Amino acid sequence: MFSLHKTLGGVHPPQCKDTRECPVTSIEPPKQVRIPLNMHIGAPGKPVVNVGDHVYVGTLIGDGEGLCAPTHASISGTVTSVATQTLPTGQTAPVVEIASDGKMEQDPSITKPTYETKDEFIACVRASGVVGLGGASFPSWFKMKCPPGKKFEFVVVNGMECEPFITSDYRQMIEHSERVVDGVARIARALEIPAAVIGVEDNKPEAIEALRAAIEEKGVGDLVEVLSIPTKYPAGGEKVLIEATTGRAVPAGGLPVDAGCLVLNVTTVSRIEEYFRYGVPLVRKTVTIAGDCVKNPGNYRIPIGMSVHDVVETTGGLTKEPRKIIMGGPMMGRTITDIDCPILKANNAILCLDSAAILPDETPCIRCGRCVRACPLGLMPYQLDAASRSHDVVKLDEFAVMNCMECGSCAFACPAHRRITASIREGKGFYRSDVARRTQPAKEA
């Protein structure tokens, strides 16, 4: 049904996946959680609870209209604060703080969802609070709403997990392969999509075998297929994966639906299926804790809103002071300076690094072209780097800065150690601001 297609660029960073054999374990719930209501792309939710309210695990605490995903309590206890706060990421958002009662009681109103139509299915997915759990955090229900005039032909499930260090998706495929397969089949049938493929890097043969065994056991081989894809970063990028599995290219500035594809992370699929089985919304996240400063590296099931500090301490603490703490992988993750930052829906790793955080000094670009060869989207990273540093909006537009997915391949390949990805990220922000400034008068008129 599906065959492998060649893709552009890519690099081969060290895998560092020492936690791949670490089963997912639950940790002791914290005494307090701080749950932001902006854990998704789109408008932040609005609080639906007040200070003093008692909540259970799974109680709705925030929701909104439009492009929004509901948020639920991850522990049972009492709401101690509902206020707009500045998060360690620099963002400002409504935050609900809950003090635990130590009971972790599930909301008694939780029931298994049912649906008969496509719209009812999408409504159920929305109620689950699930967003893109690979890091994108786009509301899954909104992604499933196919725009008029377009149609989904394939479900493409991302089981690549090509970032170094992270193994949380891998453990999901190993420990819950049958749930993943059931989830893929359910989504494809509910949305009337004729075929689905799960892309997995060939450095995860155990996951590929487990998924194929589950497909055979479930008898859904005519609908769902697993495709082994050569290990290369960023093979898990949405556009790259679509091209590798279907041979189709997402047009510049377009979306996966423009190539007839609905793309979902493998853990996203597993969590959606879990919701339909038990009715419990997204209240916890499987996170890889790793790095050369971590005493007990592993994969842990963590209540959303628990602070990074509490997570690190509960899992055994640190062996030494880290130079850098990263939320996510080293290629696309974000460095945090405040370890009171809460675990979010899309967090899939916390890396505490010492020696691995030491980077060589930048030197001038030598025009070697390695960044161009490494770019999976065929861009000119060195040109974008120069334009970003000089705030040249014309050049940023000419070299399609907004097409960059910030994968970091260019910076990894650069022998001059240029901070190309960080530079382009800043350039995108400047470009957006300039476009907004230029279009504002027209909107007001």
Side-chain angles (χ1 to χ4, degrees):
M1 191 188 311
F2 292 91
S3 59
L4 187 64
H5 299 267
K6 186 176 177 60
T7 57
L8 291 174
V11 293
H12 294 87
Q15 291 293 302
C16 304
K17 293 183 181 286
D18 300 331
T19 58
R20 61 183 290 136
E21 301 306 323
C22 297
V24 178
T25 57
S26 296
I27 66 176
E28 183 179 347
K31 295 180 179 178
Q32 181 190 55
V33 293
R34 294 171 59 234
I35 306 179
L37 303 186
N38 68 334
M39 295 184 289
H40 54 267
I41 290 176
K46 296 180 180 179
V48 297
V49 291
N50 299 302
V51 173
D53 287 354
H54 180 80
V55 295
Y56 299 92
V57 176
T59 299
L60 180 70
I61 60 173
D63 203 354
E65 298 180 352
L67 184 57
C68 185
T71 307
H72 304 81
S74 59
I75 61 175
S76 60
T78 304
V79 176
T80 57
S81 173
V82 179
T84 298
Q85 299 181 15
T86 300
L87 302 172
T89 58
Q91 294 177 309
T92 299
V95 177
V96 176
E97 295 184 9
I98 305 170
S100 175
D101 59 8
K103 299 178 181 179
M104 293 297 287
E105 293 179 318
Q106 183 172 295
D107 194 310
S109 67
I110 286 177
T111 57
K112 288 176 58 175
T114 58
Y115 61 93
E116 294 184 1
T117 67
K118 186 185 302 185
D119 288 342
E120 288 177 353
F121 174 79
I122 293 174
C124 290
V125 174
R126 187 190 189 284
S128 73
V130 173
V131 301
L133 300 181
S137 68
F138 197 91
S140 299
W141 71 271
F142 198 90
K143 186 181 284 191
M144 293 176 179
K145 292 173 69 71
C146 193
K150 302 181 185 297
K151 67 175 182 177
F152 291 126
E153 298 175 61
F154 308 114
V155 179
V156 179
V157 179
N158 190 342
M160 302 296 285
E161 198 167 52
C162 51
E163 272 269 15
F165 289 96
I166 307 177
T167 59
S168 53
D169 281 351
Y170 172 77
R171 296 310 308 179
Q172 194 73 213
M173 291 184 284
I174 291 293
E175 298 177 26
H176 302 289
S177 54
E178 53 87 26
R179 193 167 75 194
V180 170
V181 170
D182 277 349
V184 177
R186 181 190 296 272
I187 291 167
R189 288 166 176 159
L191 299 179
E192 300 173 356
I193 303 174
V197 60
I198 307 172
V200 185
E201 279 190 320
D202 60 9
N203 66 351
K204 304 175 182 64
E206 300 88 351
I208 293 171
E209 182 180 346
L211 291 169
R212 285 177 173 166
I215 289 171
E216 183 176 355
E217 180 185 344
K218 301 286 183 178
V220 293
D222 59 333
L223 178 64
V224 185
E225 184 176 331
V226 177
L227 193 61
S228 175
I229 299 175
T231 300
K232 180 177 67 171
Y233 180 88
E238 195 171 61
K239 294 180 180 180
V240 181
L241 183 59
I242 288 173
E243 188 166 0
T245 54
T246 69
R248 299 183 178 187
V250 178
L255 297 170
V257 68
D258 297 317
C261 297
L262 169 64
V263 183
L264 298 167
N265 168 265
V266 69
T267 298
T268 302
V269 169
S270 181
R271 286 285 178 259
I272 288 173
E273 177 61 21
E274 184 178 25
Y275 176 70
F276 279 102
R277 290 186 181 187
Y278 308 111
V280 180
L282 181 63
V283 295
R284 53 194 171 88
K285 187 67 172 67
T286 300
V287 178
T288 299
I289 310 297
D292 54 359
C293 298
V294 176
K295 184 177 181 180
N296 297 315
N299 295 290
Y300 298 93
R301 191 176 294 108
I302 300 170
I304 291 169
M306 186 174 182
S307 73
V308 172
H309 173 271
D310 289 347
V311 170
V312 171
E313 289 302 312
T314 304
T315 56
L318 302 173
T319 57
K320 53 187 171 181
E321 189 70 21
R323 294 174 185 266
K324 183 181 291 186
I325 298 179
I326 301 175
M327 275 188 150
M331 301 296 285
M332 294 188 71
R334 298 295 180 97
T335 300
I336 58 173
T337 56
D338 186 347
I339 59 173
D340 283 330
C341 184
I343 295 293
L344 309 177
K345 289 182 179 182
N347 289 157
N348 46 20
I350 298 295
L351 308 182
C352 301
L353 306 176
D354 180 25
S355 58
I358 302 174
L359 301 176
D361 293 334
E362 279 189 311
T363 59
C365 174
I366 61 174
R367 298 295 192 272
C368 65
R370 292 186 189 179
C371 62
V372 177
R373 292 192 293 273
C375 181
L377 299 181
L379 303 177
M380 304 285 282
Y382 76 97
Q383 294 278 24
L384 287 170
D385 179 33
S388 295
R389 293 175 192 247
S390 61
H391 289 184
D392 188 334
V393 178
V394 174
K395 288 293 186 182
L396 288 172
D397 185 70
E398 179 183 345
F399 292 108
V401 68
M402 297 310 294
N403 284 350
C404 173
M405 64 180 184
E406 303 175 27
C407 68
S409 295
C410 53
F412 180 83
C414 180
H417 311 296
R418 305 283 291 174
R419 311 292 191 261
I420 302 175
T421 309
S423 173
I424 293 175
R425 186 178 293 134
E426 292 178 4
K428 290 170 79 172
F430 180 80
Y431 181 83
R432 290 190 192 98
S433 297
D434 189 79
V435 170
R437 179 178 62 81
R438 291 172 183 271
T439 55
Q440 191 65 33
K443 289 182 179 179
E444 292 177 352

